[in-house]
Amino acid sequence: ASEAEYVEIGVTQQCDPERMRAALDEALPPGLDVVDVVTAATPDFVNRLEASRWRFELPGVGQATAQAAAATFLAQGEVIVERLMKNGIRKFDTREAVVSLTVSDESGVSGSQGSGSEDSCAILEVVTRHVTPSVRPDDLLAALRIAAHLVPPVPPRVTRLAQGPLILGSTEIGDPFAPDRAALVSTS
C-alpha cells in the first residue's frame, strides 16, 4: 500500500490545480484519493524522490524479536539479497539503502488472529534511500530473514508513508513539491 505516490500530467493549457484535483479524484475508484495538485514550476521532480519511509506491520512478531532482528540487521556492513530481474538473478546490498530502522509494538492489530501471538504486532519504520537497483519492501524482508532469521508467521502489511528528499543530517523526508511551491509564491 502507499500513501505517497506521485504522477506527472502534461496539459495543453494552464489549469486550476484545485479543479484538476477534484476532477481526478472524482474519476478514480474509491480508496484512490488525489490529495494535492501542484503546478510544476521547476524541473527534475523525479530527482527529488531520494528516499522513502515505510511502515511494516508484522502480526505475530513481538517487539523484542523485531528489535533483536533490527539490531542484527543494522550491525551488518552489508546484507546481500537476490532478485530475479529482466536479465536474470541479480545480487545486491540492501543494508546501504537503509537510513534508519526503528521498532514499536501495537497490540490487537487486525490480522494477527491465529498467528500464535494474537496480541503481538511489531511495527518497523524504515527509511530507505532510493538506490539502483531500488530496494523494495520484499528485499528488506528477505534481508531480515538472511541477517537475523526473522520470518513473520503471517504476511506483513507494508505501507509507504512518504517519499521525497532526504533532509540533510536527519532521517526525515521533505516535501518534494517545496521548490515548486516556492517558485509559484515568488512569481505571484
Side-chain angles (χ1 to χ4, degrees), residues 158-179:
V158 181
T159 306
R160 185 192 324 247
L161 301 175
Q163 66 174 319
L166 188 59
I167 296 174
L168 192 62
S170 78
T171 62
E172 296 301 312
I173 307 289
D175 176 7
F177 293 121

Side-chain angles (χ1 to χ4, degrees), residues 121-142:
C121 182
I123 306 296
L124 304 180
E125 285 240 355
V126 184
V127 175
T128 58
R129 281 186 195 86
H130 295 178
V131 295
T132 302
S134 62
V135 175
R136 304 181 315 200
D138 55 323
D139 299 323
L140 290 172
L141 290 167

Side-chain angles (χ1 to χ4, degrees), residues 14 38-41 179-188:
Q14 186 71 26
V38 177
T39 300
D180 298 301
R181 294 180 207 281
L184 291 171
V185 167
S186 68
T187 60
S188 299

Side-chain angles (χ1 to χ4, degrees), residues 76-139:
Q76 305 299 307
E78 67 178 17
V79 180
I80 304 297
V81 300
E82 294 181 349
R83 184 189 326 148
L84 179 61
M85 301 204 179
K86 287 188 276 186
N87 298 329
I89 298 289
R90 180 160 179 193
K91 294 181 181 186
F92 57 96
D93 180 21
T94 56
R95 179 60 187 92
E96 75 168 330
V98 176
V99 176
S100 72
L101 191 161
T102 58
V103 179
S104 61
D105 182 70
E106 286 188 10
S107 297
V109 170
S110 69
S112 64
Q113 290 78 13
S115 65
S117 298
E118 290 184 13
D119 294 332
S120 191
C121 182
I123 306 296
L124 304 180
E125 285 240 355
V126 184
V127 175
T128 58
R129 281 186 195 86
H130 295 178
V131 295
T132 302
S134 62
V135 175
R136 304 181 315 200
D138 55 323
D139 299 323

